Amino acid sequence: MAWGPGLVHALPTYDEVRADFRPSDTLILSREGEVVQRLRTDATVRRGQWVPLADVSPALRTALVLSEDKRFYEHSGVDWRAASAAAWGNLWNQRTRGASTITMQLAGLLDGDWRQGPGGRSVVQKIGQTVAAQVLDRRWRKDQILEAYLNLVPFRGEVVGIDALSRTLFGKAAHGLQDREAAVAAALVRAPNARPALVAQRACGVLRAMQPPKAAVDCDALELFTTAAVQRRAFDATEGMAPHFARYALRQQAEAASSPAAPSAASTGTPQLRTTLRAPLQRFATQTLQQHLRELRGRNVEDGAVLVLDNATGAVLAWVGSSGALSQASEVDGVLAARQPGSTLKPFLYAQAIAEQRLTAASLVDDSSAQIATSSGLYIPQNYDRQFKGWVSVRTALAASLNVPAVRTLVMVTPDAFHRQLGALGLPLRENGDYFGYSLALGSAEVPLLHLTNAFRSLANGGRFSPVVVLPTRARPAFTPALDARAAFIVGDILSDGNARARTFGTDSVLATRFWSAVKTGTSKDMRDNWAVGWSERYTVGVWVGNASGAAMHDVSGTSGAAPVWATVMGFLHAREPSRPPRPPQGLVQWPVRFGPAGGDGDSATASLPLEAARTEWFVPGTQQSVFAINNVAGSAFSVSAGGQKRSKPVEPQADLGPARILMPVHGTVIALDPDIPPQSQRLRLQAADHAGPRLAWRMDGKPLGRGAVLEWLPWPGRHTLELVDAQGQVLDTVRFEVRGAGVAPGAVPGTASKPR
């Protein structure tokens, strides 16, 4: 230990002590410098902000001096009168109060050599502490000593400093402490972890010393107050409007080798992290989400999340991780939680098909019942409304969010190729494409809102991908090509087309904004997740609503769940800022197109009407053509006249029809019933060769079932034998298949388990 001149240089100055002070919390700042979150980052201690002495209540200053050092303003660091009294008492084995002054205690807090151990201080420690106190008194002013002491002294448990104590035990700032609160605080200095009754007893003595001589003090009431106060924990570990974002930003700062923390209050040593968040936007997005979820009360939906990104930089402008008090799982971050995205993956699928010149925006795809054989059985996709639209263009199929055309498109692209495309867009899928199969077209994989929204931002940036950022930086984003720019533009043009989405969403949809925007909704199976993700000229906004528990919502669709929040946030962003349509990239071709007639029975009134109205359409060079019509409806689901696209060859009529046979189901098929879909929506299509004729009959497990080339059958769990017989009862063809399932969930409502829009 160094005494004398060495000790003078060892003790820090007041300015050094204040600069080295570190609260246990970090303040997360918006780009404007507003505190959006206070987050605890030191789990070993609970320390608040540094409180200047002028901001400490006079009652507390008086109580502390009366309790710990009555002659604080008179002595020079050591109270020799008190020290003499203590020494005399020890000589005669009398219990006396210690002679340690506030200055001496501060010396112990500043230098561990002078701190009291379990067995008390040694003689050497006492001498060193005495010398240090006198040095401090010469170098520091009295107000600086008292201020530092109040900010560094341990009070109770992990609580250190007057700010943490005031907010934890009394739920207020230090300047608001009243007499009895000040008395309790002063009593805790002497015995931080004493029993509440002992703390109250000492606080009563301090309070008496603070009052006029004849003033009455109710010690019983003070004991009740003290007992309640020492058990209170009003100082939350985190406080603000962006708790989930704050944790993510701190993790990003820790991972970055040169993250720009930029503390704006370095003189106090307060940890502060400036971020890209916009405080007014964050506040508005939080309020909008909570208000909308209150309006959905009664529909079993309590959670939600909102994310706003800057298209040019990838900066996070708003991050609402949960609905806060409305949620039973408010700690779950809905922006990072992986959920099924539903139909929000369709834009990337069609973009890939257009980029590979398999389809164009005007290509005709068949929206009709489909049974796709897979290794595990038949995959039978359904539309949201259980209805089929027939032959439609890709523009209509995507904008109206039709499921069957999307699955047919994935058959062309293949699940593995689509899986690679999603990976290039930054969507982290845990399994490979074969694992998800054709259901990947309808969003069976799980992705976080953060990555999904950023993938849509890639569409806004012409197919270029860059990571999101939460910390301010002057570096330009490092874009990498992830998708053909021409295909990205065409998909954006489709998703901004209100007329194209009218078949499903109507002409007056909440998705229609007064400025240019492109948007896609999605709902996962069983109505567990609802999404709306879209972009304008400058911003990309993603919204998710549902339940963190995974429980299904009741009667919440794409336009009633997340879409209203999306539209409101977008409207706020563009209240005073225009949004213009993007410029087409080089190489795109704009071409007038018309569509052939709907076809069908020649007596039908609609047989000669065109499938869709004539229009001008965008094409990748080499794929444009003027007329799109159906060549052979019965031949193939993909036998469509569309120049430049890769399609299966139309089936030509055959002269030799061959024997009658069963076309569907295929022998060995395994069909899985969905307990959430009503039985009438799960009928299995039994189909024989077209030439079989109405004289043929069907038998299921030996029992007559019906007649005709096509028959709808209500599946029943079990293994079945299906026979096609002629008029004489002779078996022409036999297939065996299995139906798996355990009936239908009680109270299932038609439309509640469809793959979403």
Side-chain angles (χ1 to χ4, degrees):
M1 300 180 187
W3 296 350
L7 181 59
V8 174
H9 296 291
L11 287 173
T13 65
Y14 165 81
D15 291 334
E16 291 173 341
V17 170
R18 184 166 182 181
D20 290 339
F21 181 83
R22 290 292 180 270
S24 59
D25 301 335
T26 296
L27 299 181
I28 307 300
L29 307 180
S30 68
R31 61 174 56 198
E32 305 90 356
E34 180 180 342
V35 177
V36 295
Q37 193 69 36
R38 176 182 54 78
L39 188 66
R40 183 171 181 180
T41 51
D42 187 350
T44 63
V45 70
R46 197 69 209 274
R47 187 184 293 115
Q49 303 299 311
W50 182 279
V51 181
L53 189 61
D55 292 337
V56 177
S57 73
L60 178 57
R61 284 180 275 170
T62 300
L64 187 64
V65 171
L66 289 175
S67 174
E68 294 298 308
D69 192 353
K70 294 181 180 180
R71 286 178 289 275
F72 170 71
Y73 292 102
E74 301 171 12
H75 60 66
S76 58
V78 179
D79 189 348
W80 296 109
R81 189 189 307 176
S84 301
W88 183 261
N90 291 334
L91 180 63
W92 296 99
N93 295 322
Q94 295 176 351
R95 295 189 60 183
T96 62
R97 185 201 176 284
S100 179
T101 64
I102 290 178
T103 312
M104 294 172 66
Q105 294 179 50
L106 177 61
L109 294 173
L110 296 179
D111 192 332
D113 288 341
W114 321 128
R115 292 178 187 173
Q116 182 174 342
R121 292 185 180 88
S122 65
V123 175
V124 175
Q125 283 182 313
K126 290 180 180 179
I127 296 174
Q129 184 188 30
T130 301
V131 175
Q134 294 179 85
V135 173
L136 275 177
D137 193 80
R138 288 196 302 269
R139 296 179 57 180
W140 291 28
R141 299 193 310 268
K142 289 289 186 180
D143 61 320
Q144 293 177 336
I145 293 173
L146 187 57
E147 178 181 312
Y149 180 75
L150 283 168
N151 283 282
L152 299 177
V153 65
F155 279 97
R156 188 171 185 84
E158 63 177 0
V159 177
V160 173
I162 189 57
D163 185 52
L165 175 78
S166 301
R167 298 185 183 277
T168 301
L169 268 60
F170 308 119
K172 60 174 65 173
H175 64 76
L177 297 185
Q178 300 172 351
D179 287 355
R180 65 175 182 174
E181 296 164 339
V184 172
L188 286 171
V189 171
R190 192 179 303 180
N193 298 311
R195 292 179 291 106
L198 181 57
V199 175
Q201 180 182 348
R202 291 176 174 172
C204 188
V206 175
L207 190 57
R208 282 199 179 102
M210 297 171 62
Q211 302 297 328
K214 296 183 179 180
V217 175
D218 189 347
C219 291
D220 293 335
L222 183 60
E223 182 176 354
L224 293 176
F225 173 79
T226 304
T227 302
V230 297
Q231 295 175 351
R232 190 180 298 122
R233 292 293 181 269
F235 192 23
D236 294 332
T238 182
E239 184 180 32
M241 57 180 171
H244 305 90
F245 172 79
R247 287 191 282 266
Y248 182 83
L250 286 175
R251 288 197 299 268
Q252 293 298 107
Q253 183 199 30
E255 294 173 1
S258 58
S259 29
S264 60
S267 60
T268 63
T270 304
Q272 298 184 1
L273 180 63
R274 189 177 292 271
T275 66
T276 60
L277 214 66
R278 286 185 183 176
L281 177 61
Q282 176 74 14
R283 192 176 294 108
F284 180 83
T286 302
Q287 294 171 352
T288 299
L289 177 64
Q290 293 176 346
Q291 178 181 346
H292 183 64
L293 291 181
R294 290 189 183 98
E295 294 173 358
L296 293 178
R297 186 171 296 170
R299 300 192 188 185
N300 196 39
V301 50
E302 64 178 26
D303 292 299
V306 181
L307 182 69
V308 181
L309 302 177
D310 183 279
N311 289 342
T313 64
V316 174
L317 306 180
W319 179 309
V320 183
S322 80
S323 57
L326 301 179
S327 172
Q328 297 183 19
S330 58
E331 291 300 313
V332 176
D333 190 349
V335 174
L336 295 180
R339 313 287 298 213
Q340 288 189 341
S343 295
T344 56
L345 295 186
K346 291 177 183 176
F348 311 117
L349 173 62
Y350 282 106
Q352 184 176 5
I354 291 172
E356 295 176 356
Q357 300 188 16
R358 299 179 184 273
L359 291 174
T360 71
S363 298
L364 294 175
V365 288
D366 189 12
D367 182 32
S368 62
S369 178
Q371 300 185 25
I372 302 174
T374 68
S375 59
S376 58
L378 286 181
Y379 178 59
I380 309 176
Q382 297 285 338
N383 282 330
Y384 178 85
D385 55 5
R386 303 290 182 191
Q387 299 177 0
F388 298 104
K389 306 298 188 294
W391 290 92
V392 296
S393 69
V394 166
R395 175 173 290 270
T396 299
L398 173 56
S401 197
L402 304 179
N403 287 337
V404 178
V407 175
R408 296 186 191 277
T409 301
L410 185 56
V411 173
M412 302 181 197
V413 173
T414 73
D416 271 342
F418 186 42
H419 181 275
R420 290 192 295 271
Q421 176 64 78
L422 295 177
L425 290 164
L427 292 173
L429 304 186
R430 300 174 182 174
E431 307 292 343
N432 57 29
D434 288 337
Y435 175 85
F436 299 108
Y438 297 117
S439 66
L440 187 58
L442 307 183
S444 60
E446 294 183 340
V447 298
L449 178 64
L450 176 65
H451 298 86
L452 181 63
T453 306
N454 197 39
F456 271 76
R457 174 176 159 261
S458 296
L459 291 175
N461 285 315
R464 299 179 303 154
F465 169 83
S466 74
V468 299
V469 294
V470 297
L471 305 176
T473 176
R474 295 182 180 179
R476 294 183 178 180
F479 285 105
T480 57
L483 190 62
D484 187 281
R486 300 167 299 180
F489 174 86
I490 293 174
V491 165
D493 186 67
I494 293 173
L495 295 181
S496 65
D497 189 347
N499 293 327
R501 72 168 75 100
R503 285 200 178 189
T504 297
F505 299 96
T507 56
D508 189 21
S509 167
V510 68
L511 302 176
T513 59
R514 296 183 178 181
F515 45 88
W516 186 91
S517 63
V519 60
K520 185 72 188 72
T521 62
T523 308
S524 67
K525 191 178 185 301
D526 302 333
M527 301 293 173
R528 300 183 189 278
D529 309 280
N530 189 255
W531 310 74
V533 191
W535 70 95
S536 63
E537 181 183 11
R538 184 173 177 183
Y539 307 102
T540 299
V541 178
V543 180
W544 166 82
V545 298
N547 293 294
S549 63
M553 299 173 287
H554 301 160
D555 192 26
V556 177
S557 66
T559 54
S560 65
V565 180
W566 178 88
T568 304
V569 173
M570 267 294 186
F572 179 83
L573 289 167
H574 289 285
R576 296 179 179 83
E577 187 175 349
S579 176
R580 295 173 291 269
R583 295 181 179 179
Q586 292 184 352
L588 272 182
V589 176
Q590 204 169 16
W591 200 263
V593 299
R594 58 185 178 87
F595 298 88
D601 190 351
D603 296 333
S604 173
T606 61
S608 60
L609 295 178
L611 289 167
E612 295 186 13
R615 61 175 180 260
T616 301
E617 192 59 87
W618 293 100
F619 293 92
V620 173
T623 65
Q624 68 270 22
Q625 64 183 57
S626 300
V627 180
F628 288 80
I630 303 169
N631 289 342
N632 190 331
V633 175
S636 170
F638 305 122
S639 53
V640 183
S641 175
Q645 75 183 71
K646 300 179 182 178
R647 58 188 184 275
S648 56
K649 185 178 180 180
V651 178
E652 301 294 340
Q654 301 294 321
D656 183 12
L657 298 179
R661 59 190 178 86
I662 299 174
L663 297 179
M664 287 188 288
V666 180
H667 183 75
T669 295
V670 177
I671 300 171
L673 295 178
D674 192 326
D676 293 320
I677 299 180
Q680 61 269 26
S681 298
Q682 298 193 77
R683 294 181 180 274
L684 178 65
R685 183 183 179 91
L686 310 179
Q687 184 174 352
D690 292 340
H691 60 276
R695 293 174 297 174
L696 299 182
W698 299 87
R699 287 196 309 215
M700 183 70 71
D701 299 329
K703 298 180 181 180
L705 192 63
R707 293 181 177 275
V710 178
L711 196 65
E712 299 287 340
W713 174 68
L714 180 63
W716 192 254
R719 296 181 179 178
H720 303 283
T721 301
L722 178 65
E723 297 173 322
L724 184 66
V725 299
D726 60 15
Q728 290 74 36
Q730 182 179 358
V731 177
L732 302 177
D733 195 12
T734 303
V735 297
R736 292 178 174 83
F737 63 96
E738 181 180 356
V739 177
R740 297 177 182 176
V744 180
V749 179
T752 59
S754 62
K755 282 292 180 183
R757 55 184 174 187

